């Protein structure tokens, strides 16, 4: 009968033909350590083998994968023994469940859903208790209550950052998720600094999906967006180019396009030279600061930095008028003639694109391109950062 076959069949090898992830050496190592290889298929050995393989799944981020069963396949029988007893050898095929992300979800065309929540006080009487979301507390105390909120973070960008691509194996690696979190207390800790996209990630929930591919799920992420993510600064500075005072303000947004992009805008307004085309009335004298600011040059700079995608983009429009104080003995006519010949203070207009590359065999890690125009002159340049290289001169000398 079947029990007799299980007790008498010696296992020579263990495989998992349905698995796309398990290395054969991991299977063999787990089965050998559990004495399944060289022994017989019994519940204890199978459980130890499954536990070791499931641990490998969890350590590598495949948190929903597991061993679900085993099949014994005898392939040799010897009935010529002296005592007339039969002996057999065989192999075991493990059955595994390996979960993939669905290519489409029942509720959307993308299998990742982001639900932004905000924690609320459980004693509040102004909030509809039926609309609240209850999540287990990290401290093990009473469950925490959250309400749904709106935000600007895009689920597709979060999916690309965490490698949750449709049709791929579901893999949750804490180091990928922690860089999205600013503060400790969530399920992945904090590794992204104060400018990270989320202040906390509270839960990552798999939702089973019906698919012909088998074990497929979509993913729901419950997180709190990191706010405030905008800052405005203003002040007065003195230009190194024109040696004149300028008013400026800076606007910074740390989640400009819903994917953690840091966008910065800097605007500066300088003074003119103070001449008003021979108009020297008392009104002009009393309002010379207003006139100078009104006619002064306008400079601006915009930048977008995406640390996750690995690019920096800078656009600029700057006044680079000659610096230093004018000599007092220069007359107005000479200054006006020089200004007329040069066409006013030169403007620097252009942009810079910087792209950080993944590691490669050529050690090229950064590519930067710049284009700028100053009056009638245009300049373009490209640079490539290579390295780092490690070189030991003493080793080369003695070799």
């Amino acid at each position: 009968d079947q029990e007799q076959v299980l007790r008498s069949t010696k296992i020579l090898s263990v495989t998992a033909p349905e698995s796309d992830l398990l290395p054969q050496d991991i299977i063999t190592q787990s089965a050998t350590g559990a004495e399944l290889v060289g022994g017989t298929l019994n519940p204890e050995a199978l459980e130890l083998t499954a536990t070791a393989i499931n641990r490998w799944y969890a350590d590598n981020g495949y948190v929903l994968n597991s061993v679900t069963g085993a099949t014994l396949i005898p392939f040799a029988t010897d009935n010529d023994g002296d005592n007339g007893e039969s002996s057999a050898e065989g192999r075991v095929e493990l059955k595994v469940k390996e979960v993939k992300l669905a290519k489409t979800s029942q509720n959307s065309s993308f299998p990742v859903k982001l639900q932004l929540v905000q924690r609320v006080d459980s004693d509040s009487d102004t909030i509809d208790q039926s609309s609240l979301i209850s999540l287990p507390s990290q401290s093990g105390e009473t469950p925490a209550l959250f309400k749904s909120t709106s935000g600007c973070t895009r689920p597709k960008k979060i999916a690309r950052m965490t490698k949750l691509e449709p049709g791929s194996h579901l893999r949750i690696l804490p180091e990928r998720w922690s860089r999205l979190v600013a503060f400790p207390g969530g399920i992945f800790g904090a590794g992204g600094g104060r400018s990270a996209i989320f202040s906390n990630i509270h839960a990552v929930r798999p939702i089973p999906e019906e698919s012909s591919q088998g074990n497929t799920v979509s993913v729901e992420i419950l997180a709190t967006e990191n706010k405030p993510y905008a800052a405005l600064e203003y002040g007065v500075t003195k230009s190194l180019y024109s040696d004149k005072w300028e008013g400026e303000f800076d606007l910074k947004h740390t989640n400009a396009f819903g994917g953690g992009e840091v966008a910065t805008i800097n605007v500066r307004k300088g003074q003119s030279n103070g001449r008003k085309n021979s108009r020297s009335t008392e009104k002009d004298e009393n309002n010379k600061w207003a006139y100078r600011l009104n006619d002064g040059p306008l400079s601006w700079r915009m930048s977008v930095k995406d640390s996750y995608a690995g690019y920096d983009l800078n656009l600029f429009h700057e006044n680079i008028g000659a610096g230093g104080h004018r000599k007092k003995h220069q007359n107005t006519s000479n200054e006006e003639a020089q200004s007329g010949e040069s066409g006013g203070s030169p403007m620097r207009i252009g942009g810079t694109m910087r792209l950080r590359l993944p590691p490669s065999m050529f050690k090229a890690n950064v590519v930067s391109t710049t284009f700028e125009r100053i009056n009638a002159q245009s300049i373009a340049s490209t640079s490539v950062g290579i390295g780092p290289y490690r070189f030991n001169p003493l080793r080369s000398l003695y070799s």
Side-chain angles (χ1 to χ4, degrees):
D1 57 354
Q2 293 183 354
E3 293 184 0
Q4 179 64 28
V5 173
L6 292 175
R7 289 194 298 266
S8 61
T9 302
K10 181 180 179 180
I11 307 302
L12 300 182
S13 63
V14 179
T15 60
E18 299 178 355
S19 173
D20 299 327
L21 300 171
L22 285 173
Q24 182 57 44
D25 58 342
I26 295 297
I27 301 175
T28 302
Q29 179 181 351
S30 301
T32 303
E35 298 183 354
L36 181 59
V37 173
T40 60
L41 181 59
N42 57 80
E44 293 78 10
L46 179 59
E47 182 178 359
L48 291 175
T49 302
T51 300
I53 293 177
N54 292 343
R55 187 183 305 113
W56 181 90
Y57 275 135
D59 292 343
N60 287 273
Y62 304 106
V63 293
L64 296 183
N65 295 0
S66 61
V67 176
T68 60
T71 301
L72 174 64
I73 303 178
F75 56 79
T77 302
D78 184 6
N79 294 324
D80 297 332
D82 296 338
N83 54 5
E85 294 181 359
S86 63
S87 61
E89 296 177 340
R91 59 187 175 89
V92 171
E93 290 186 353
L94 298 177
K95 296 181 180 180
V96 296
K97 180 183 72 171
E98 295 184 345
V99 178
K100 292 184 177 181
L101 282 168
K103 294 185 176 180
T104 58
S105 174
Q106 296 177 356
N107 300 323
S108 64
S109 59
F110 201 75
V112 176
K113 177 185 177 183
L114 176 62
Q115 185 171 0
L116 298 175
V117 296
Q118 182 178 0
R119 188 165 183 170
V120 297
D121 187 1
S122 59
D123 298 332
S124 177
D125 298 332
T126 60
I127 301 176
D128 183 10
Q129 297 292 326
S130 61
S131 63
L132 298 181
I133 302 172
S134 178
L135 295 175
S137 175
Q138 297 296 320
S139 59
E141 299 175 354
T142 58
L145 297 179
F146 297 85
K147 66 175 182 179
S148 297
T149 60
S150 59
C152 61
T153 304
R154 293 179 296 162
K156 287 187 178 182
K157 191 64 182 287
I158 301 301
R160 285 195 292 268
M161 294 177 184
T162 54
K163 308 297 183 182
L164 296 180
E165 300 294 337
S168 64
H169 289 273
L170 176 63
R171 192 179 190 186
I172 306 295
L173 293 176
E175 57 268 22
R176 291 179 182 173
W177 291 78
S178 63
R179 64 176 184 169
L180 305 178
V181 182
F183 304 105
I187 60 176
F188 296 111
R194 298 184 64 87
S195 61
I197 298 177
F198 302 121
S199 60
N200 272 311
I201 297 178
H202 306 287
V204 178
R205 297 173 172 175
I207 302 175
E209 298 282 347
E210 295 182 0
S211 173
S212 58
Q213 301 175 351
N215 297 311
T216 59
V217 297
S218 59
V219 174
E220 181 184 36
I221 304 170
L222 280 77
T224 300
E225 213 170 35
N226 190 14
K227 296 179 181 180
Y229 42 72
L232 175 64
E233 298 179 354
Y234 54 89
V236 178
T237 60
K238 197 168 188 179
S239 172
L240 296 176
Y241 290 116
S242 62
D243 198 34
K244 295 183 180 298
W245 291 100
E246 295 179 337
E248 72 170 298
F249 79 89
D250 292 289
L251 178 63
K252 182 178 181 180
H253 199 295
T254 59
N255 194 7
F257 308 112
E261 304 88 352
V262 179
T264 305
I265 300 177
N266 174 269
V267 179
R268 301 189 306 276
K269 180 69 172 177
Q271 294 178 270
S272 67
N273 55 20
R275 298 185 302 274
K276 300 298 293 180
N277 296 328
S278 71
R279 290 186 301 172
S280 181
T281 63
E282 181 180 357
K283 180 179 180 181
D284 293 340
E285 184 67 21
N286 294 334
N287 297 278
K288 60 180 181 179
W289 276 92
Y291 282 121
R292 288 184 181 183
L293 287 176
N294 186 50
D295 293 342
L298 177 67
S299 302
W300 56 263
R301 176 181 288 269
M302 294 189 301
S303 66
V304 178
K305 180 178 181 180
D306 191 335
S307 300
Y308 303 100
Y311 71 86
D312 300 342
L313 176 63
N314 292 276
L315 302 175
F316 50 83
H317 183 283
E318 299 176 326
N319 171 47
I320 54 173
H325 296 280
R326 297 183 184 272
K327 295 181 180 180
K328 293 183 179 180
H329 66 266
Q330 288 181 323
N331 55 41
T332 304
S333 60
N334 291 338
E335 292 179 0
E336 291 178 353
Q338 293 176 2
S339 178
E341 291 174 359
S342 62
S345 299
M347 301 299 295
R348 178 172 176 259
I349 304 172
T352 300
M353 181 69 179
R354 180 182 175 92
L355 181 63
R356 292 179 292 278
L357 303 177
S360 65
M361 61 179 296
F362 300 106
K363 295 290 186 178
N365 51 18
V366 177
V367 176
S368 179
T369 301
T370 301
F371 175 82
E372 61 182 82
R373 182 180 179 87
I374 303 177
N375 286 351
Q377 297 182 349
S378 299
I379 303 173
S381 64
T382 301
S383 63
V384 179
I386 301 176
Y389 286 98
R390 294 183 178 179
F391 175 68
N392 189 340
L394 296 178
R395 181 178 180 182
S396 300
L397 180 63
Y398 288 108
S399 61

